[in-house]
Amino acid sequence: MLLNDKNGAERFYTLAYTKNNKDKTVLVALYKFYELVGTQDLAERLVNEAYKLYPNDQNVVKAYANLNKTEIDKKNSLALDYISKKQYKLAIETYLQVEPKDDGIYFSIANCYNMLDDTKSAIKYFKKAIEFNPKNFEAHYSMAILNYKKGDVNSPEETVKKALEIDNKNPNAIVLSKTIIQAQIDRILNEAYVYHEKEDYKKADEVLSAGLKKYPRESQLYYYKGLNKEAMGDILGAIQEYRLAIKVDSNCSIAYYSLALLLEKVDNKKGALEAFETYLSHNT
């Protein structure tokens, strides 16, 4: 509303600046005003002042980058040329000279380290990209892949979950999430199997129960919990677990088969027949 009155607008922004010359919103607003009206020297002074105070603020960095656009574009072009020649170390050196650095620059540095198989440094700069811009989907997704490849237990799942919160329809992230979760399920099953083979059925049951607290929709865990309960001699408990496996996944055919066998044992012939017929319908 003040843009039609240059003097009034200047008085308004200057007054706000006088009252709080360290307020980033005021600094950026006054910078934009001076840039708009062509007072470039004052605009530059304010944006430099703001960047010293708030080097990680997105709006401040954007304004400072705009001020240094020519130099940033030159370094970006040089870094991309190094990348095209697979000279990743030189590309990293060039990107590190860029000021200011935003999530895009951090992401590029991380990718270069990834190409050099320096996973630790790549993850470090993916984290910097995310710290700067928590909504950077590619940084979350890429970091999840690296954490998964290096064998982290929990962080890949958490990171890809954040990526899906940003873009829940991304097909690559959906596939990665399923892959990571299945790896977690396999880890739980393998741990339970070790105890089961040692006939430590109680410990195996504890492992599977803990897994189900985290993954209550995983039919595999219910199914193997049923097998373990059978080994313990808890037929009714096993029947319950097989039913739960079927409840969360009606296509878990092996659960129908195991359920049919146990229902026949407890003389529930009708239930056994129904379960066996369903099993056959899934396998014919």
Side-chain angles (χ1 to χ4, degrees):
M1 61 179 175
L2 294 172
L3 291 179
N4 293 326
D5 178 5
K6 175 183 173 182
N7 292 329
E10 186 169 10
R11 283 196 301 273
F12 175 79
Y13 288 127
T14 303
L15 178 62
Y17 177 74
T18 302
K19 287 184 175 181
N20 190 352
N21 63 3
K22 291 186 177 181
D23 186 307
K24 60 186 173 185
T25 304
V26 172
L27 286 167
V28 172
L30 189 53
Y31 152 72
K32 287 181 178 178
F33 169 76
Y34 282 136
E35 188 181 48
L36 186 65
V37 299
T39 315
Q40 195 62 27
D41 56 335
L42 288 174
E44 289 182 13
R45 180 176 67 80
L46 281 165
V47 78
N48 279 305
E49 188 177 332
Y51 185 64
K52 286 178 183 178
L53 291 168
Y54 306 104
N56 297 313
D57 181 81
Q58 289 190 43
N59 290 324
V60 172
V61 168
K62 186 177 180 181
Y64 191 74
N66 186 55
L67 185 67
N68 296 278
K69 187 176 186 304
T70 302
E71 186 62 24
I72 291 171
D73 287 348
K74 188 189 299 183
K75 290 190 183 303
N76 261 325
S77 180
L78 179 59
L80 289 171
D81 183 56
Y82 285 135
I83 289 170
S84 70
K85 297 172 182 175
K86 298 184 179 181
Q87 296 174 312
Y88 301 113
K89 287 184 179 179
L90 290 174
I92 290 168
E93 290 173 11
T94 305
Y95 280 129
L96 288 172
Q97 294 169 22
V98 172
E99 285 295 338
K101 296 178 185 65
D102 60 10
D103 55 315
I105 295 296
Y106 290 130
F107 182 79
S108 296
I109 293 171
N111 275 332
C112 287
Y113 274 120
N114 190 28
M115 295 305 295
L116 291 169
D117 291 324
D118 186 346
T119 301
K120 184 178 179 180
S121 297
I123 289 175
K124 173 185 173 181
Y125 279 93
F126 282 135
K127 283 182 178 178
K128 282 181 176 288
I130 292 167
E131 285 169 8
F132 185 89
N133 179 10
K135 293 186 177 180
N136 188 317
F137 168 84
E138 291 296 338
H140 283 292
Y141 174 73
S142 299
M143 192 165 75
I145 291 175
L146 287 188
N147 280 327
Y148 174 63
K149 285 182 177 179
K150 74 174 197 155
D152 277 9
V153 175
N154 294 314
S155 58
E157 187 176 353
E158 294 167 2
T159 310
V160 78
K161 183 180 178 182
K162 288 176 182 175
L164 285 168
E165 286 172 2
I166 299 166
D167 182 1
N168 62 7
K169 293 182 179 178
N170 185 281
N172 293 329
I174 291 170
V175 170
L176 179 61
S177 178
K178 289 179 179 178
T179 301
I180 290 171
I181 289 173
Q182 186 57 56
Q184 291 281 56
I185 300 301
D186 291 343
R187 182 185 60 80
I188 293 166
L189 292 175
N190 288 336
E191 185 181 354
Y193 178 76
V194 170
Y195 288 116
H196 184 88
E197 285 296 287
K198 293 177 180 178
E199 298 185 2
D200 190 347
Y201 304 126
K202 182 180 178 182
K203 189 64 179 177
D205 188 73
E206 288 174 4
V207 171
L208 292 165
S209 295
L212 281 166
K213 284 183 180 179
K214 187 172 183 181
Y215 304 105
R217 303 292 302 171
E218 288 298 326
S219 61
Q220 299 170 81
L221 296 178
Y222 288 112
Y223 175 72
Y224 283 100
K225 200 161 185 271
L227 288 179
N228 192 61
K229 282 190 179 292
E230 274 197 69
M232 295 168 73
D234 183 2
I235 301 303
L236 294 180
I239 288 172
Q240 182 182 10
E241 299 300 338
Y242 294 142
R243 289 192 188 280
L244 287 169
I246 291 164
K247 183 178 180 180
V248 298
D249 181 7
S250 60
N251 292 316
C252 186
S253 63
I254 190 65
Y256 286 106
Y257 180 77
S258 296
L259 178 62
L261 294 178
L262 290 192
L263 288 175
E264 189 172 13
K265 273 188 179 182
V266 297
D267 207 30
N268 184 345
K269 298 190 183 302
K270 181 181 178 183
L273 181 61
E274 289 175 354
F276 190 66
E277 285 177 344
T278 305
Y279 165 74
L280 289 175
S281 70
H282 282 284
N283 291 276
T284 54

